[in-house]
Amino acid sequence: MTTPHISAPDGSFAPDVLMPGDPLRARHIAQTYFDDPQLITSVRAIEGYTGTWNGKPVSVMASGMGIPSMCIYATELFRFYDVQRIIRVGTCGSLQPAIGLNEVLIASSASTDSNVTTSYTGGLEAASNASPDLVRSASAASDSLGLKSHLGSIFSSDLFYHPDETINDRLTSLGFLGIEMEAAGLYHVASHERREALTIATVSDLLQGSGSLTPEERETGVGKMVELALQTLA
Ligand code: HPA
């Protein structure tokens, strides 16, 4: 099967897919966590791999950055490769002073300034929700791994370099835990395609404080989150 953005043999994607934003992180996840990872697509250098974890098939492929890129890849995976569940394993900025670098957010819902919601709903301001089963499973997996994770609402922004300098403070006051750029798109695609999705994100930037992960840490420093995602799917 070939789609405009993925060229992988029929049946080569596992029903469960991990999606980081970064293609190098996708390769790192496959090479570090999967047994017997096989490269199945590399269109635009977005490499997809399928391997096994604890004997169970699992795939990984990057979403790229931003809601439009996520929507392309998630739609093609669900619609043409029969993928059933996608867990985004991304990075985010923390909007709450009590949430520090390297801590993990489990996004039960995502609000957005993107048009993706109204495009999918014919104008309704519908909520963008993660799949309840995956939220429950991630929450239980986090407890069993003894992880310090935070369950709640995040904001999926269209702009990384936002012209409104008050935006982060406003989002903090509204109680959002973190900000990233893909979850709301993934949740609407999953709901439209009648499949399941969740976003888990490691804090890489502090927006109510100072500090950020280095590019190397962003690429590889995501071990706890990947274990959490794999355990969630187990
Ligand atoms: N803003 C938006 N998206 C992000 C950030 C951020 O600070 N960090 C990681 N993804």
Side-chain angles (χ1 to χ4, degrees):
M1 158 73 69
T2 294
T3 62
H5 310 95
I6 304 172
S7 181
D10 283 346
S12 60
F13 273 97
D16 293 334
V17 179
L18 303 185
M19 292 194 94
D22 175 357
L24 293 177
R25 204 176 329 131
R27 183 193 286 171
H28 173 79
I29 290 169
Q31 292 175 349
T32 309
Y33 297 94
F34 291 6
D35 291 322
D36 195 24
Q38 305 289 326
L39 178 68
I40 54 171
T41 177
S42 60
V43 178
R44 289 177 182 245
I46 296 287
E47 295 177 348
Y49 292 86
T50 297
T52 59
W53 184 78
N54 274 355
K56 192 166 176 278
V58 60
S59 298
V60 63
M61 190 179 81
S63 66
M65 287 183 283
I67 287 172
S69 184
M70 168 57 90
C71 288
I72 289 171
Y73 291 113
T75 301
E76 292 182 8
L77 289 175
F78 285 138
R79 196 176 293 176
F80 302 112
Y81 292 95
D82 212 22
V83 168
Q84 301 298 312
R85 302 190 291 182
I86 292 177
I87 297 188
R88 163 166 156 70
V89 283
T91 54
C92 67
S94 166
L95 290 164
Q96 300 299 331
I99 302 180
L101 285 178
N102 275 314
E103 291 181 29
V104 173
L105 306 188
I106 300 169
S108 47
S109 69
S111 295
T112 185
D113 56 2
S114 153
N115 284 331
V116 69
T117 304
T118 49
S119 297
Y120 270 110
T121 61
L124 293 174
E125 299 271 347
S128 322
N129 291 318
S131 306
D133 285 349
L134 287 177
V135 173
R136 268 195 293 272
S137 174
S139 196
S142 173
D143 289 347
S144 74
L145 290 168
L147 271 190
K148 183 166 181 193
S149 64
H150 306 268
L151 175 63
S153 222
I154 63 170
F155 193 81
S156 301
S157 177
D158 256 353
L159 296 176
F160 187 87
Y161 298 104
H162 210 289
D164 176 356
E165 290 176 1
T166 69
I167 184 81
N168 290 339
D169 289 344
R170 288 162 55 212
L171 294 171
T172 298
S173 308
L174 288 166
F176 290 104
L177 304 184
I179 181 168
E180 49 82 82
M181 304 184 70
E182 294 82 16
L186 173 61
Y187 292 174
H188 281 292
V189 171
S191 131
H192 188 256
E193 301 293 327
R194 301 285 192 271
R195 302 292 163 84
E196 292 190 56
L198 175 67
T199 293
I200 301 173
T202 298
V203 172
S204 60
D205 303 278
L206 298 179
L207 303 180
Q208 297 295 354
S210 56
S212 61
L213 300 186
T214 63
E216 294 74 34
E217 287 169 326
R218 276 169 212 253
E219 188 187 323
T220 59
V222 293
K224 288 184 300 186
M225 171 173 63
V226 173
E227 269 186 58
L228 174 59
L230 289 166
Q231 197 71 53
T232 298
L233 294 166

